[in-house]
Amino acid sequence: MKQFEIAVYPGDGIGPEVTDEAVRVLHAVAQRDGTFALNLTTFPWGYRYWEQHGRVVPEDFIDVLRPFDAIFLGAVGWPEKLPDHVTLAPLVEIRQTFDQYACVRPAKLLPGVRSVLADKGPEQIDFVVLRENSEGEYVNVGGRFKRGQADEIAVQTAVHSRRGVERILRYGFALALRRRQRLTMVTKSNAQRFSYVMWDEILETLAPEFPAVEVDRQHCDAAVMNMVRMPEHFDVIVASNLFGDLLTDLGGTIGGGLGLAPSTNTNPQRTAPSMFEPVHGSAPDIAGQGIANPVAAILSAAMMLDHLELHAAAERIRNAVERAMASGAQTRDLGGTLTTREAATAVLEQLESA
Ligand code: NAD
Ligand code: IPM
Ligand code: MN
């Protein structure tokens, strides 16, 4: 039997609530499959850990995580008590240190889920945002001068490397070839003349290698408009770290809601563990009520199984989610009445009855 070591970082707010349900689904699918076992180790890091230890994660957290086959994360952040840039720093550090450069965030409206866009249904809404996840606007380069004074200056520099842009675009082309053969690169090269013009040039160099893929470029302002008015245009969207972040809250919403949107943080070379987590955050507004939608976490768990090459099990989870959604087994964010636990139980029932 194949064995996989999984690090689980439930985090804050609804993170632990949705993680519990994703773990329940993972155990069920492993048991049913019978060819693999997942050995889970949970790390109680985040705001509560900070209360006890004065840090969000232990100093050696990177060394602790490195030996694992994958990391599953719920959500982090408790802004009322601790500034977000403190709570969230380890998350970004994991992505960068483990070179999880490909952040894959599908947005697919499932039958039975209400669309936020008038006249757009599952036929029109099925795209993936591929977010550059290792550099760009998320690199901690910069500083503050004359802190707190009236003439204070803050400088924050984005870093885009040719290698970084080329590898995310190649990943995007490969993904487009497995889908509907369209790649849209989103930048802001009409205003940011150094970084995004380099993105344009690299795209132009690579595109001839993939003649089967139809390529277009959009500036980010136009892209957000087009995602709303004609989502059917999009298949694979490739964007920088920050634009990818923005586009995936929108993408998640167009795909039915953030409660459904999964994400990977993939290291395609497998030189370090990859990490899987919902697109959404810790949702302090609904935390502790047991009403969070567990589906984004469950679908992120399915993406983790895909990464571990347990494709049949991953597909079983996705099918179960689809049937549960179609049957109306939905939480409040989708207009339903189910609790977090009940919604996950509905998915488990579909798994078992398949
Ligand atoms: P959020 O994604 O937590 O919530 C946005 C809205 O969506 C809220 O109204 C919330 O109730 C709703 N929502 C989110 N997930 C849901 C779910 N599973 N079911 C039902 N409703 C859901 O974003 P925010 O409120 O801007 O941020 C809250 C905290 O999370 C902040 O500390 C932020 O920095 C952090 N954050 C963390 C991550 C992460 O861990 N990867 C991602 C985004 C935000
Ligand atoms: C996300 C989140 C993170 C990001 C935050 C929590 C740092 O919004 O995963 O989308 O900006 O990448
Ligand atoms: Mn985000």
Side-chain angles (χ1 to χ4, degrees), residues 14 75-77 79 84 88 91 277 279-286 293 333:
I14 64 166
V76 289
D84 271 346
L88 309 183
L91 171 61
E277 56 169 329
V279 172
H280 67 70
S282 55
D285 54 339
I286 58 165
N293 191 340
D333 51 310

Side-chain angles (χ1 to χ4, degrees), residues 13-14 17-18 21 259 280 283-295 330-344:
I14 64 166
E17 301 171 30
V18 298
E21 302 309 324
H280 67 70
D285 54 339
I286 58 165
Q289 300 177 37
I291 57 169
N293 191 340
V295 170
Q330 297 176 359
T331 42
R332 285 197 218 171
D333 51 310
L334 302 180
T337 57
L338 300 191
T339 63
T340 307
R341 166 113 318 197
E342 289 165 348

